[in-house]
Amino acid sequence: MNKIWLAHYPDGVPAKVKLDNAHLIDLFEQACQQYPQNIALTCHKVSLTFADVQLRVAKIAQGMRDLGVQAQDRIAIILPNCLQYPLTMFATLLIGATVVNINPLYTASEIEYILQDSQPTLVVTLDMFAEKLNNSVNKFGIKHIVVTKIADPYPWLKRTIINNLLRYISKVNPQLNYSAYNWRDLYYYQKEYTLTKHAPLSADDLAFIQYTGATTGRPKGAMLLHRNLVANIRQVLAYITPQMDNELSKQIIINALPLYHIFSLNANLCTFFFSGAENVMVPNARNIKDLIKTLNSTPFTVFNSLDSLYQKLLEHKEFTQTPHPHYRYGICGGMATRHSIAQLWKEATGLIPTNCYGLTEASPCVAMNLLNDEFNGSVGYPVPSTEVEIRDPETASKLLNHGETGLIMLRGPQIMLGYWRNPEQTAKVLDSDGWLNTGDLGYFNANGQLVISGRKTELIIVSGFNVYPAEVELVIDQLDAISEVAVIGLPDPHMGEAVYAYVVLKDHQHLTSQEIIQHCRRQLTKYKIPRAIYLVDSLPKTIVGKIDKQLLAKQAKPN
């Protein structure tokens, strides 16, 4: 396929990025040496400079070495967005070990599955989640469990107040059946680690085992090499830097999305940290009042988010009626931004969220709209050094014509090595030429921008006709009274499948199912019109805030 998107790149964005043998610790050390006095990390108004971070990471790394962690071991991190997360992550990478990210909100059994699959030497978690590990002690190769309290890196007075509030007011007092190692002992370790002590890192070393948020079956661990992540960071920087009106090292980014998710990990933390910018951690973005307090008291310039989080913030006057004069850039990842939310966000902040497209297996960024461009529903242009082809969904080999909807195939330096200890699943998505079958459906519009139509597995086939849920959802979302919508296909004895829509209305809005159907009839061909519209109070969500269509289909009761 001709790379039609290259003709639409803004001035200064290259077609390809420099690829070499750099690893993440090369980028880490360069940032710490170049910006030693810049603030690197902030949480609860406690800040660490890059020099502070480099020192603490060296201590934590040596402490973990003395606990028996070696290069190529796995370290499981079960933490929210707090100072402990990046410090522990960088320390893990410094000694050549591999980070296994685990969502702290997972159940004990979900965590146990990932521990069993990844076999980590050491696990680091927060005290309020530590009980979930009671049944994993002395299993799966785990030698030590390190537990921290949220305020452990804070000065004495603040640490004492916060930890006591959590213990006596919030009743955070875990009952553990194991002897945990104290993370503070690593933070204040007497010795420091240096790279010269041990074997050097390689760009081909495994940096992360990043488990995908599977909605059916067991999660799969995408193996992301240092090389993959460094490439993706450089791809994103090459794309966004020429579009920004001031240096990246002067940016302040709000890190509200969970760092155990690949979008936040690489697009928020790594990309901006390695550029000398400040990452402001928000431990619990579900606490909207606390998030708003952080936003309103921080001169942030970048706020990347999910569509669903944008929507929640828009519901609070404390946010919408407070000026944020430094706010310049906002990228929406994890799920597509709806047109209605994009317009409301622009009215409230002056900015249009920048839609992008990525997936865990691609480290994650594949395509991105231009910063602050007008919203058109696309996910933008493939980033430099990325190949995208649209192929026939049935064969995954035949190239389709421009504008035709088909299977999105990817190739580039950011693509994973494969799935951890799962060659069968790896073979299903990676071919011998390095092309990744995303399972997503889409097409290129007239401007060379990629448009996502939905998942191949979400495709609804009505009497032989293909219906893409995203298309129907966009039509329904045009109605001002709509808050959220999810379209799914359900079995039908006559047509194979039928289209159904589940709709949440905005507060104090009134709209009937028949009115929505009439709206769809004006814009959709007959077989795409929902058989029924169900008005519901809420839609089920996955742990990262996406609408869980698999669960919705299980709960559905079609007419």
Side-chain angles (χ1 to χ4, degrees):
M1 177 179 286
N2 181 30
K3 296 182 180 179
I4 55 175
W5 56 86
L6 295 180
H8 300 275
Y9 273 5
D11 291 342
V13 177
K16 295 183 178 180
V17 295
K18 176 185 176 183
L19 300 174
D20 53 26
N21 292 317
H23 48 69
L24 291 168
I25 293 302
D26 284 333
L27 273 59
F28 172 80
E29 294 197 318
Q30 289 168 12
C32 293
Q33 291 166 11
Q34 187 172 355
Y35 309 104
Q37 299 310 312
N38 280 20
I39 295 176
L41 304 171
T42 296
C43 189
H44 293 144
K45 298 192 179 299
V46 176
S47 298
L48 298 176
T49 66
F50 280 84
D52 294 332
V53 170
Q54 188 173 33
L55 173 63
R56 294 303 173 188
V57 165
K59 289 181 174 293
I60 294 168
Q62 186 57 51
M64 292 195 298
R65 283 286 304 186
D66 291 345
L67 286 175
V69 178
Q70 301 179 21
Q72 300 182 16
D73 281 353
R74 274 81 60 200
I75 293 180
I77 300 179
I78 313 175
L79 293 172
N81 291 13
C82 55
L83 296 179
Q84 293 91 316
Y85 179 91
L87 296 176
T88 304
M89 183 198 80
F90 288 133
T92 299
L93 299 174
L94 181 63
I95 57 181
T98 300
V99 175
V100 179
N101 273 319
I102 301 179
N103 184 342
L105 299 182
Y106 275 173
T107 64
S109 60
E110 289 172 319
I111 291 173
E112 185 169 313
Y113 169 77
I114 295 178
L115 295 176
Q116 183 178 10
D117 190 59
S118 60
Q119 301 280 307
T121 300
L122 187 142
V123 180
V124 182
T125 191
L126 199 65
D127 58 345
M128 61 185 65
F129 309 118
E131 283 187 8
K132 297 179 182 181
L133 298 174
N134 277 341
N135 293 328
S136 298
V137 178
N138 299 322
K139 295 180 181 178
F140 319 130
I142 298 172
K143 294 180 180 178
H144 296 282
I145 297 175
V146 179
V147 175
T148 183
K149 297 178 180 178
I150 193 72
D152 273 352
Y154 300 172
W156 176 82
L157 181 59
K158 190 163 193 170
R159 181 176 73 249
T160 302
I161 292 172
I162 291 177
N163 285 341
N164 282 337
L165 284 173
L166 288 171
R167 180 172 183 178
Y168 297 109
I169 304 299
S170 301
K171 306 298 182 183
V172 177
N173 189 23
Q175 303 301 306
L176 308 181
N177 64 7
Y178 58 90
S179 178
Y181 196 87
N182 192 333
W183 186 88
R184 273 177 56 79
D185 292 338
L186 299 176
Y187 188 72
Y188 290 105
Y189 209 67
Q190 294 304 305
K191 295 183 288 183
E192 298 173 21
Y193 183 94
T194 62
L195 280 175
T196 57
K197 289 184 180 180
H198 304 286
L201 287 167
S202 165
D204 292 315
D205 285 342
L206 183 58
F208 289 84
I209 301 176
Q210 195 73 22
Y211 282 84
T212 61
T215 52
T216 59
R218 292 293 195 177
K220 303 181 293 290
M223 293 187 289
L224 302 179
L225 307 178
H226 282 261
R227 183 183 304 281
N228 301 143
L229 289 146
V230 169
N232 203 229
I233 290 166
R234 287 178 171 169
Q235 289 170 305
V236 171
L237 288 175
Y239 188 81
I240 67 172
T241 301
Q243 302 179 57
M244 302 181 81
D245 57 12
N246 53 4
E247 296 177 21
L248 267 81
S249 63
K250 300 183 184 301
Q251 306 300 326
I252 299 175
I253 182 167
I254 298 293
N255 220 322
L257 300 182
L259 287 167
Y260 54 75
H261 190 277
I262 188 64
F263 172 64
S264 185
L265 171 68
N266 217 24
N268 288 358
L269 175 61
C270 291
T271 296
F272 285 90
F273 181 95
F274 294 143
S275 301
E278 178 184 356
N279 268 265
V280 178
M281 302 289 171
V282 178
N284 181 12
R286 293 174 300 161
N287 184 338
I288 294 297
K289 289 185 177 180
D290 185 61
L291 172 58
I292 291 173
K293 183 178 179 181
T294 300
L295 288 166
N296 289 350
S297 63
T298 304
F300 68 94
T301 59
V302 183
F303 176 45
N304 298 336
S305 185
L306 285 174
D307 175 271
S308 54
L309 186 54
Y310 284 132
Q311 180 181 354
K312 288 181 181 177
L313 287 168
L314 287 168
E315 295 170 357
H316 291 266
K317 293 181 179 180
E318 296 89 345
F319 173 76
T320 58
Q321 295 183 1
T322 300
H324 302 95
H326 305 283
Y327 183 27
R328 293 289 182 273
Y329 314 104
I331 297 171
C332 184
M335 61 188 294
T337 306
R338 290 166 286 166
H339 184 270
S340 57
I341 296 300
Q343 292 303 318
L344 289 172
W345 190 257
K346 183 178 181 180
E347 292 172 13
T349 69
L351 268 72
I352 285 281
T354 302
N355 251 356
C356 68
Y357 170 61
L359 57 164
T360 301
E361 293 85 347
S363 302
C365 188
V366 173
M368 188 187 305
N369 272 292
L370 301 182
L371 299 179
N372 299 326
D373 203 2
E374 289 302 312
F375 187 90
N376 67 0
S378 80
V379 293
Y381 307 109
V383 294
S385 294
T386 301
E387 297 177 80
V388 180
E389 291 185 349
I390 307 298
R391 301 184 188 176
D392 177 73
E394 298 303 319
T395 65
S397 58
K398 178 186 175 183
L399 283 176
L400 299 184
N401 295 323
H402 181 77
E404 289 187 291
T405 296
L407 185 63
I408 300 172
M409 301 288 291
L410 307 175
R411 187 165 64 177
Q414 72 269 49
I415 303 301
M416 69 171 183
L417 179 65
Y419 292 121
W420 173 255
R421 294 177 176 173
N422 200 334
E424 295 83 7
Q425 291 297 320
T426 298
K428 289 181 179 180
V429 299
L430 278 176
D431 68 17
S432 58
D433 293 324
W435 286 94
L436 175 72
N437 183 334
T438 67
D440 291 326
L441 298 169
Y443 63 93
F444 281 103
N445 66 18
N447 296 323
Q449 295 165 304
L450 184 62
V451 180
I452 306 299
S453 302
R455 292 286 295 174
K456 182 181 179 183
T457 53
E458 292 178 0
L459 180 67
I460 306 169
I461 302 177
V462 180
S463 297
F465 293 99
N466 291 347
V467 179
Y468 301 106
E471 180 183 5
V472 183
E473 289 165 351
L474 285 171
V475 168
I476 295 175
D477 187 61
Q478 292 172 358
L479 295 167
D480 291 339
I482 303 296
S483 175
E484 288 186 304
V485 57
V487 170
I488 61 173
L490 295 173
D492 182 89
H494 304 291
M495 297 184 295
E497 286 184 296
V499 179
Y500 291 84
Y502 291 77
V503 171
V504 179
L505 298 179
K506 294 177 181 175
D507 290 344
H508 312 300
Q509 294 291 320
H510 301 283
L511 198 65
T512 67
S513 298
Q514 191 57 37
E515 287 172 327
I516 299 173
I517 291 286
Q518 291 298 331
H519 171 74
C520 291
R521 285 176 177 163
R522 289 191 288 270
Q523 300 197 45
L524 295 170
T525 191
K526 186 175 181 179
Y527 66 85
K528 296 180 182 179
I529 298 170
R531 167 78 60 79
I533 304 286
Y534 295 105
L535 300 177
V536 295
D537 293 331
S538 63
L539 294 171
K541 303 290 177 61
T542 68
I543 202 73
V544 295
K546 297 181 183 180
I547 295 173
D548 191 338
K549 291 190 177 181
Q550 298 287 341
L551 181 56
L552 187 62
K554 290 179 181 179
Q555 297 173 343
K557 295 180 180 180
N559 289 336

